[in-house]
Amino acid sequence: MREAILGISAYYHDSAATLLLNGELVAAAQEERFSRLKNDSSFPEKSIHFVLEEAGISFKDVTAVAFYDKPFLKFERLLETYHGFAPKGIASFSSAMPIWLKEKLFLKRTLKEELKKLGISKIPFLFPEHHLSHAASAFYPSPFDEAAILTIDGVGEWATTTISMGKGNGIEIIKELHFPHSLGLLYSSFTYYLGFKVNSGEYKLMGLAPYGNAESGQTKEFEEKILNELVDIRDDGSMLLNMEYFNFAIGLKMTNDAKWEKLFGIPPRTPESGIDQGHKNLARAIQNITELVVVKLAETAKALTNSKNLVMAGGVALNCVANGKLLSKKIFENIWVQPAAGDAGGSLGAAYAAWHIWKGKERIIQGGVDAMKGAYLGPEFSNKQILKILKAHQATYEFFEDTDKLCEIMAGKIFEGKVVGWFQGRMEFGPRALGNRSILADPGNPEMQKTLNLKIKFREGFRPFAPSVLVEDMQDFFMLDQPSPYMLFVSDVKDTRGRVPKVKGNNLIPSLHILNKTHCQLPAVTHVDFTSRVQSVSKESNPLFWKLLQAFKKKSGYGVLVNTSFNVRGQPIVCNPEEAFKGFLHTEMDYLVLGDYVLKKKDNMRH
């Protein structure tokens, strides 16, 4: 009998569905990719349709459903929090209660009704705790038989941080930090105060931080004020937030703006307004403190488990700068981070928890390789499907039967300075494009970062771009001593002499000016602090993308490409060829590669 376990995350942000078939990860996708609503939180009906179709099963074949958290425990936390802070928060309480009483308190019934509409009923329905779902998503697909597990996010039911031990098919939660004391919510508070959107703009804050001046008195003063007034950080990485400065527990926004403005001397930044040096220094300060806490938590995890391996999940595990710092500390021999570390990955963890904990099934580890299949777990489209769309749009294209020739020609175009949309194979699961739904360019072109930000992505000019590099050439360019297939570790970049550039004093000069002076090889993927968020590409994980990198190396001398997600600002990554074609037309991309079809912008301008 085939066991089909459906994992679901929904109703907060980043809804998703995952399917395990006899314990094998078959498919996973976020609802936003189908609905085209960024961070879609609705019931993931389209994602469920997709994962079942990909597995080749019908709704009646599903044997169990696992939801990624426990709604009743969340409701309990809400009630206790409002009670604890009463009479403050009456406005927030009044707005939250009707929604909870009408919808979320009876979430199990709502879920069952939604699934019944699809034909899924009368099967076991499981509710692992939120942080257990995160822990399961980190440990079970990892390449380790045993590992310390660190999960850090905003909040689940009560837990905000957990340290666990994974061994065989079991997970033991050893230590927890509870709401409202949360590293994730602390970071999100600064995200909000600096004018970015909570639960999606944290990566912008991370990208802004290196523009802060590490040597300036203001940055150091901000750090001291955070540590003295906002948060008490203990040696084990646990913390206590001073809730006089925060409104997220009982208010309608993250911070007490008046108190923050008095403390830092900077008013809350209006979204989309200018960014001055004070904003950059404040971003730098909270990023530094986040890295400090993550390292302390990892040290505690090491002391509690004595494992040589660490796995991580939760939204804070997407802070690849902190991950890179942790890697360099050598606290653990091996670190593996779940590529869908946020709430979308909770669907995957819930399904794995059902399989290994509820069903008691043993883990099978494949020779040190993780079970994520490169995170290529979404839909794919045949040449036949692509051609149908191209004909419907009366597009002009060229077809290549020989992929070697295709890669050789496109590598040449990229080396000439062209920007290429690259749509291949199965869509990635998680927030990173990893070579299947990507926009590619030459990292050696000093104008390329500006071009991509302003003319292709339509986003803030300070945002950095990531490199994809042949895994066998990775150490020629980056200070990384383990593969980084999921773009989740930031590394120092080597210059042409094989060394990491050092900048004395102020590092606020525009990156290009500095980089030209330090013999930088890859200016378009080198951030102002001489770091990059690296994706290492192996022949096994993505043969076609690896082949393109090899072809580009023959043209340029370096097997590295700029790789940014195939989307424009405010929109999800493209899922299907139709979206890719429209994105190509509405930006200044020069070429689009859809499967084995190549489209040139000049030939398709009539659309």
Side-chain angles (χ1 to χ4, degrees):
M1 177 184 168
R2 290 196 303 177
E3 295 268 9
I5 296 177
L6 175 64
I8 296 173
S9 64
Y11 302 124
Y12 185 46
H13 58 91
D14 295 315
S15 294
T18 298
L19 193 84
L20 298 185
L21 203 54
N22 292 336
E24 180 188 356
L25 178 53
V26 173
Q30 290 147 264
E31 189 69 5
E32 67 164 21
R33 305 291 171 85
F34 304 101
S35 68
R36 310 311 298 161
L37 300 172
K38 187 82 169 169
N39 306 121
D40 193 348
S41 62
S42 63
F43 178 75
E45 181 180 347
K46 296 179 178 68
S47 299
I48 293 170
H49 274 284
F50 157 68
V51 297
L52 294 180
E53 185 179 324
E54 185 65 30
I57 65 173
S58 66
F59 294 106
K60 61 181 175 55
D61 297 320
V62 176
T63 51
V65 175
F67 187 72
Y68 80 133
D69 66 10
K70 291 182 179 292
F72 273 106
L73 272 182
K74 274 193 173 179
F75 185 64
E76 174 189 272
R77 187 244 301 165
L78 192 75
L79 287 179
E80 288 195 24
T81 299
Y82 281 122
H83 181 263
F85 285 95
K88 293 179 181 177
I90 188 66
S92 175
F93 180 83
S94 299
S95 66
M97 273 306 106
I99 298 169
W100 268 96
L101 291 173
K102 184 180 177 183
E103 299 172 13
K104 297 191 177 183
L105 187 56
F106 302 105
L107 194 59
K108 185 175 181 179
R109 186 177 70 189
T110 303
L111 282 166
K112 285 191 171 183
E113 287 173 355
E114 293 283 4
L115 289 164
K116 194 174 181 181
K117 291 177 193 173
L118 300 177
I120 302 174
S121 62
K122 297 180 181 177
I123 57 172
F125 212 121
L126 311 170
F127 290 85
E129 284 194 32
H130 187 93
H131 270 254
L132 177 59
S133 293
H134 275 320
S137 79
F139 177 58
Y140 291 128
S142 79
F144 311 130
D145 180 60
E146 57 85 22
I149 309 169
L150 182 57
T151 68
I152 318 170
D153 65 2
V155 60
E157 296 85 7
W158 279 105
T160 61
T161 300
T162 58
I163 295 172
S164 309
M165 180 67 191
K167 192 169 185 179
N169 71 339
I171 292 175
E172 177 192 0
I173 295 176
I174 301 170
K175 194 165 187 172
E176 291 189 353
L177 181 66
H178 285 177
F179 182 84
H181 310 296
S182 165
L183 179 60
L185 290 173
L186 175 65
Y187 201 84
S188 289
S189 295
F190 280 86
T191 301
Y192 157 79
Y193 199 75
L194 287 168
F196 304 120
K197 189 177 179 181
V198 172
N199 291 327
S200 66
E202 283 76 8
Y203 56 91
K204 296 184 183 181
L205 177 60
M206 184 177 66
L208 182 64
Y211 290 90
N213 185 352
E215 306 297 325
S216 83
Q218 188 183 47
T219 301
K220 291 175 180 176
E221 181 185 338
F222 285 160
E223 286 186 31
E224 289 173 6
K225 286 182 175 180
I226 293 167
L227 293 171
N228 291 334
E229 297 292 335
L230 293 190
V231 58
D232 179 10
I233 299 169
R234 309 298 170 84
D235 288 341
D236 64 357
S238 62
M239 61 170 59
L240 291 171
L241 297 184
N242 180 353
M243 294 308 294
E244 290 182 11
Y245 284 89
F246 298 92
N247 278 354
F248 60 75
I250 45 107
L252 298 172
K253 55 187 181 180
M254 296 298 294
T255 66
N256 183 323
D257 291 354
K259 279 187 169 288
W260 278 52
E261 185 170 351
K262 185 177 179 182
L263 179 65
F264 296 117
I266 296 175
R269 175 178 165 262
T270 304
E272 307 301 325
S273 65
I275 299 174
D276 63 29
Q277 195 54 49
H279 298 130
K280 297 170 187 176
N281 290 343
L282 192 57
R284 179 75 176 238
I286 189 56
Q287 177 64 33
N288 288 347
I289 287 167
T290 299
E291 292 163 18
L292 170 78
V293 176
V294 169
V295 169
K296 284 179 179 289
L297 288 168
E299 289 171 340
T300 302
K302 176 70 175 179
L304 291 173
T305 65
N306 199 33
S307 176
K308 67 179 182 179
N309 306 313
L310 176 69
V311 297
M312 298 173 66
V316 177
L318 292 172
N319 192 309
C320 47
V321 180
N323 296 346
K325 292 285 169 64
L326 188 55
L327 200 62
S328 69
K329 294 288 184 183
K330 305 291 185 187
I331 300 165
F332 291 88
E333 288 181 29
N334 308 297
I335 301 177
W336 188 86
V337 182
Q338 165 55 238
D343 277 7
S347 67
L348 182 149
Y352 267 118
W355 179 250
H356 291 296
I357 298 174
W358 177 63
K359 298 291 289 186
K361 300 291 186 178
E362 294 302 309
R363 290 176 72 217
I364 300 169
I365 298 171
Q366 304 286 351
V369 178
D370 71 51
M372 289 298 297
K373 300 181 178 179
Y376 307 116
L377 298 166
E380 65 180 326
F381 299 86
S382 66
N383 278 330
K384 185 178 180 181
Q385 290 171 300
I386 292 168
L387 181 59
K388 186 178 179 182
I389 288 165
L390 295 179
K391 285 185 173 179
H393 287 282
Q394 298 182 317
T396 302
Y397 55 82
E398 187 175 357
F399 178 75
F400 288 83
E401 289 187 15
D402 183 351
T403 56
D404 287 343
K405 188 70 175 174
L406 170 67
C407 289
E408 180 189 345
I409 288 175
M410 296 322 299
K413 297 300 181 187
I414 293 170
F415 189 55
E416 290 170 11
K418 307 301 184 186
V419 178
V420 174
W422 186 256
F423 182 101
Q424 301 291 341
R426 295 186 69 176
M427 181 179 68
E428 300 89 342
F429 183 51
R432 309 287 180 231
L434 301 170
N436 280 6
R437 301 290 186 275
S438 294
I439 298 170
L440 307 175
D442 179 5
N445 184 332
E447 296 297 323
M448 192 52 70
Q449 183 192 11
K450 182 179 178 182
T451 298
L452 288 171
N453 268 329
L454 300 181
K455 296 185 176 182
I456 310 294
K457 302 283 283 188
F458 307 123
R459 68 185 199 180
E460 302 92 344
F462 68 82
R463 302 271 296 279
F465 288 97
S468 293
V469 57
L470 293 166
V471 69
E472 52 268 46
D473 293 353
M474 181 180 71
Q475 292 185 328
D476 294 341
F477 302 96
F478 307 104
M479 297 291 289
L480 267 179
D481 56 8
Q482 74 165 52
S484 177
Y486 301 119
M487 213 181 269
L488 285 169
F489 293 99
V490 160
S491 161
D492 288 327
V493 180
K494 295 179 180 179
D495 65 16
T496 52
R497 299 158 298 187
R499 295 179 293 194
V500 177
K502 298 294 180 188
V503 180
K504 293 180 181 178
N506 194 317
N507 65 348
L508 304 174
I509 310 162
S511 58
L512 182 57
H513 181 71
I514 301 173
L515 297 173
N516 283 341
K517 287 193 170 188
T518 54
H519 314 287
C520 180
Q521 302 176 82
L522 308 169
V525 294
T526 303
H527 207 15
V528 288
D529 57 350
F530 306 107
T531 63
S532 282
R533 187 183 73 215
V534 180
Q535 181 202 5
S536 57
V537 181
S538 70
K539 190 175 184 179
E540 294 74 28
S541 67
N542 194 328
L544 186 63
F545 194 34
W546 182 87
K547 189 183 288 188
L548 179 67
L549 283 159
Q550 286 283 3
F552 187 72
K553 182 179 178 180
K554 288 178 183 175
K555 300 283 184 185
S556 66
Y558 41 91
V560 189
L561 287 169
V562 178
N563 176 8
T564 187
S565 56
F566 198 145
N567 68 324
V568 295
R569 187 182 185 195
Q571 292 184 12
I573 295 173
V574 298
C575 176
N576 62 45
E578 176 89 18
E579 292 151 9
F581 181 71
K582 288 179 179 176
F584 167 63
L585 293 179
H586 294 145
T587 66
E588 294 188 30
M589 270 182 263
D590 300 292
Y591 288 88
L592 173 63
V593 183
L594 289 171
D596 295 326
Y597 293 92
V598 175
L599 289 79
K600 189 177 182 180
K601 176 61 68 65
K602 273 201 306 188
D603 296 339
N604 288 278
M605 292 298 286
R606 66 186 181 280
H607 293 280

